[in-house]
Amino acid sequence: MSANVKPKLLVTRKVFDEVIDLLSQHFEIESNQADAEWTHAELLSRAAGKDALFVVGGERIDAELLDACPTVRIVTTGSVGYNHIDVDACSARRIPVTNTPDVLTEATADMAWALLMAAARRVTESERWLRAGHWKRWEWAQFLGQDLHGATLGIAGMGRIGSAVARRARGFEMRVLYHNRSRAANEAELGATRVDKDQLFAEADHVVLVMPYTPQTHHFVGARELGLMKPTATIVNIARGGIIDDAALAQALAAHRIAAAGLDVYEGEPALNPALLALDNVALTPHIGSATRSSRLGMAMLAARNLVAWAEHRPLETPVNADALA
Ligand code: DGY
């Protein structure tokens, strides 16, 4: 490509104007600023002939798409999770993949706590009841929830976000257990104790899931794990749908096998298991873990900076498959 011909970039979703402004200095852009819903087939046809793709979570970038679009030379996702991208297929074609770690860590950890508190203290459940006009008088035993202060928090996945969740637990004077493939280098600083999976579920009063979604973590939480939990326990998933078996969770919640759940992500989202919608003891949000303006702008800008670095033949800021391409 000659120096004055800009590479062609597909931006699959509406994104902040300042991000488009930055990218348009370096790319010829086709952007979905109307935020139309594209099928996978439409994504594939629009990716044809592009040099670079800027996608988001849930937009499948697989070998079929890469074969159909052999001009694609970089894939950037505006998300920290990249389970929607076949990274091996990209590496095999020498295509770098980038994601957006760090910039969303604190916002997402805040959201874990928002859901944890909503579930444990029945915030969304009691609000729905109040709005429906049921509140006639104060009662001693109205909407009794679970204590957070001084309780045991179990964190599954002790990466950046898990650590940020654990740091917040100090203010609640909690005992923190975690389960992770490897020992966290910062466990002493966090005051966290590594335990095996079953101990985590059996001993925690509240469990937060913060691990990546991989074939190994598919249905990490199912009927067996829910059966290990205390009947007063709560569980929060801010990681990815598919880590919990949603049908098993709905059954456990309906039977009050556990007290409550807070979910931001779902199997097959944006569709939800209808059984979840029928339950009072689950707080539900639409995958908004990173949704603060500064966090989302930070993610989009980091994605854009990776693309600009690629266009200028500079090292990528946050490559996913640098080792495979080395
Ligand atoms: C992420 O960054 O992975 C969030 O879940 C948004 O997709």
Side-chain angles (χ1 to χ4, degrees):
M1 187 169 306
S2 82
N4 51 4
V5 176
K6 290 179 178 173
K8 292 187 172 61
L9 167 67
L10 180 67
V11 181
T12 60
R13 296 300 305 274
K14 178 176 166 57
V15 69
F16 306 99
D17 290 343
E18 45 270 67
V19 174
I20 294 290
D21 290 347
L22 170 64
L23 288 169
S24 54
Q25 294 167 34
H26 304 268
F27 291 92
E28 184 186 318
I29 302 178
E30 176 182 342
S31 174
N32 182 8
Q33 287 303 90
D35 225 12
E37 265 184 59
W38 292 350
T39 59
H40 183 64
E42 184 159 13
L43 171 65
L44 195 146
S45 80
R46 289 180 185 270
K50 301 295 189 298
D51 301 292
L53 304 180
F54 178 177
V55 302
V56 299
E59 290 177 328
R60 186 158 42 90
I61 303 298
D62 52 14
E64 181 206 3
L65 183 144
L66 298 172
D67 285 341
C69 308
T71 53
V72 170
R73 285 176 296 136
I74 180 166
V75 176
T76 290
T77 183
S79 60
V80 67
Y82 49 84
N83 55 296
H84 52 297
I85 299 174
D86 185 337
V87 177
D88 290 341
C90 289
S91 301
R93 292 161 180 76
R94 312 284 314 152
I95 296 172
V97 177
T98 70
N99 69 337
T100 60
D102 299 318
V103 284
L104 47 48
T105 297
E106 302 302 336
T108 308
D110 286 348
M111 189 65 197
W113 276 90
L115 280 173
L116 180 51
M117 296 178 85
R121 296 301 308 271
R122 306 175 67 178
V123 173
T124 51
E125 177 188 359
S126 60
E127 186 192 352
R128 277 194 304 280
W129 179 87
L130 178 152
R131 284 177 185 272
H134 296 307
W135 194 26
K136 302 296 178 219
R137 57 183 185 152
W138 181 91
E139 289 174 34
W140 279 107
Q142 213 159 45
F143 287 105
L144 298 181
Q146 308 303 325
D147 285 313
L148 289 148
H149 178 261
T152 297
L153 178 65
I155 302 176
M158 192 57 107
R160 300 176 186 86
I161 300 173
S163 299
V165 170
R167 277 198 301 278
R168 284 154 176 75
R170 276 203 238 124
F172 287 78
E173 300 184 293
M174 294 174 103
R175 171 181 176 231
V176 179
L177 305 177
Y178 74 98
H179 175 69
N180 200 48
R181 270 177 315 176
S182 53
R183 187 168 296 284
N186 55 353
E187 64 172 21
E189 175 214 329
L190 296 172
T193 305
R194 184 167 172 234
V195 294
D196 67 28
K197 181 179 171 183
D198 286 3
Q199 192 182 350
L200 186 96
F201 283 97
E203 286 189 25
D205 296 305
H206 308 283
V207 173
V208 176
L209 304 173
V210 211
M211 68 231 303
Y213 181 56
T214 65
Q216 291 71 42
T217 60
H218 177 71
H219 285 187
F220 177 82
V221 181
R224 193 189 75 83
E225 289 73 21
L226 293 162
L228 294 173
M229 292 175 75
K230 301 177 185 178
T232 49
T234 67
I235 187 163
V236 166
N237 187 7
I238 50 152
R240 274 290 178 276
I243 293 177
I244 299 187
D245 175 345
D246 285 350
L249 176 63
Q251 275 179 15
L253 289 168
H256 296 278
R257 256 301 298 121
I258 64 169
L263 304 176
D264 189 44
V265 289
Y266 310 87
E267 287 191 281
E269 65 182 55
L272 258 71
N273 185 318
L276 289 172
L277 290 171
L279 293 168
D280 278 328
N281 52 349
V282 56
L284 305 169
T285 51
H287 201 145
I288 56 170
S290 59
T292 66
R293 183 175 161 82
S294 69
S295 172
R296 286 279 169 90
L297 184 59
M299 292 162 72
M301 274 299 187
L302 174 55
R305 287 200 307 276
N306 273 302
L307 287 163
V308 172
W310 173 81
E312 294 182 333
H313 308 288
R314 289 187 283 107
L316 303 173
E317 261 185 66
T318 49
V320 164
N321 55 348
D323 288 349
L325 298 185

